[in-house]
Amino acid sequence: MNQIEIERKVTKGRNISITVYQNGKVILKHPAKIPKIQLDSFLSEKQEWILNKLNKIPKDLPKKLKFEEKEIIHIFGVKSQIYLNEKFTIYDREKGFFIKNEKNLNTKTKKTKHYLRLLLMEKINPLVWKYEKNLNTKVNKITIRTMRSLWGSCNSKNQISFNLSLIHCPEFIIEYIVLHEIAHTIEHNHSQNFWNVVKSQNPNYKIAEKWLKETGKKYIYYLN
């Protein structure tokens, strides 16, 4: 498996599993005490399956953002160019995305993601308040984090997580994802009742669903 880069993640479960994500990441999950020889054997058995999955990934998916000079980023659906400077990080819809340069790449990435998280939260908060009121429901917590395959999630405690990659999406998609997750505070499933809740606020929600299916995959991987 030398030709395939595999990220290993220790889990509390008992089973070994492997996942190939659309951004090309291969994640091996396993309990801490599994012997190395057993993991190597598992990977050897899965090698052909992994290669087949990787070969099916569309070739035009964007690579992970490095926040480098003249790199292109989409913010709220608008294509912007990145410019590095020594003073500040700020997004200007007309002029571009200015990022404070850091000597350490990890520090630059961490601080830039923090800025993008704040920018996205400013967009999300009013939408959450809007749909809480319209649907007479309550969101107990909002978090924004990077996710590999989901745009958002809502647990049984009405705590919602949004994918930081939403920062790249057009505003009508951000609003749809907010509505979608808040609808889950009422119906924790994808039953017809759930879709009726969504439709009551956005009769044309299928337009957003189509965009996510056809175009969204090119946006979700930038930050992972």
Side-chain angles (χ1 to χ4, degrees):
M1 298 294 287
N2 292 334
Q3 71 273 35
I4 303 174
E5 184 177 343
I6 296 177
E7 181 179 327
R8 302 193 177 198
K9 184 177 180 180
V10 175
T11 64
K12 295 181 180 179
R14 297 180 179 180
N15 300 321
I16 307 172
S17 66
I18 194 158
T19 305
V20 178
Y21 292 95
Q22 282 287 298
N23 61 355
K25 274 195 175 184
V26 182
I27 310 294
L28 174 68
K29 298 179 181 179
H30 61 87
K33 296 184 179 180
I34 294 290
K36 183 179 182 300
I37 190 172
Q38 185 176 344
L39 292 176
D40 289 342
S41 176
F42 177 84
L43 289 173
S44 180
E45 292 176 3
K46 291 290 185 178
Q47 182 171 3
E48 185 175 349
W49 178 85
I50 294 170
L51 288 171
N52 286 335
K53 286 286 187 179
L54 289 172
N55 288 334
K56 290 179 180 178
I57 296 174
K59 304 302 181 186
D60 60 344
L61 292 180
K63 296 180 179 179
K64 181 178 179 180
L65 273 174
K66 296 181 180 179
F67 303 115
E68 296 178 340
E69 181 77 16
K70 295 185 178 180
E71 197 172 20
I72 298 299
I73 182 173
H74 291 77
I75 297 183
F76 302 138
V78 178
K79 185 184 292 186
S80 297
Q81 188 162 299
I82 290 175
Y83 302 96
L84 300 181
N85 71 93
E86 301 302 321
K87 295 182 178 180
F88 53 78
T89 295
I90 190 168
Y91 168 64
D92 186 300
R93 186 183 180 94
E94 302 299 327
K95 297 180 180 179
F97 188 27
F98 299 85
I99 296 176
K100 182 180 179 182
N101 203 6
E102 301 283 350
K103 293 181 179 179
N104 184 284
L105 176 60
N106 289 334
T107 301
K108 180 175 67 172
T109 299
K110 183 177 180 179
K111 288 185 176 181
T112 305
K113 284 186 177 182
H114 177 69
Y115 177 86
L116 291 174
R117 190 173 284 107
L118 295 176
L119 199 62
L120 181 58
M121 189 66 85
E122 288 180 0
K123 189 74 65 174
I124 284 176
N125 277 333
L127 295 171
V128 170
W129 300 332
K130 170 185 172 181
Y131 289 119
E132 278 183 324
K133 181 179 179 181
N134 288 358
L135 295 172
N136 192 28
T137 187
K138 179 66 177 175
V139 175
N140 291 321
K141 185 179 180 181
I142 301 172
T143 57
I144 295 176
R145 58 190 179 90
T146 54
M147 303 184 198
R148 290 192 175 96
S149 58
L150 297 175
W151 288 105
S153 65
C154 176
N155 65 22
S156 59
K157 298 179 181 179
N158 288 0
Q159 298 171 334
I160 294 178
S161 292
F162 293 105
N163 193 330
L164 180 56
S165 290
L166 277 172
I167 191 72
H168 306 306
C169 297
E171 293 185 10
F172 83 98
I173 294 297
I174 297 172
E175 179 157 6
Y176 169 68
I177 294 298
V178 171
L179 167 60
H180 186 108
E181 298 308 328
I182 290 182
H184 277 311
T185 66
I186 300 170
E187 293 286 340
H188 290 277
N189 50 56
H190 284 107
S191 65
Q192 187 56 52
N193 286 339
F194 167 80
W195 292 112
N196 288 342
V197 172
V198 172
K199 191 174 182 179
S200 73
Q201 302 299 308
N202 182 358
N204 298 314
Y205 73 90
K206 289 185 178 180
I207 295 175
E209 283 282 327
K210 182 179 180 182
W211 186 95
L212 289 167
K213 183 177 180 180
E214 296 179 354
T215 307
K217 63 184 179 181
K218 294 186 179 183
Y219 287 76
I220 199 169
Y221 308 113
Y222 281 109
L223 298 173
N224 290 295

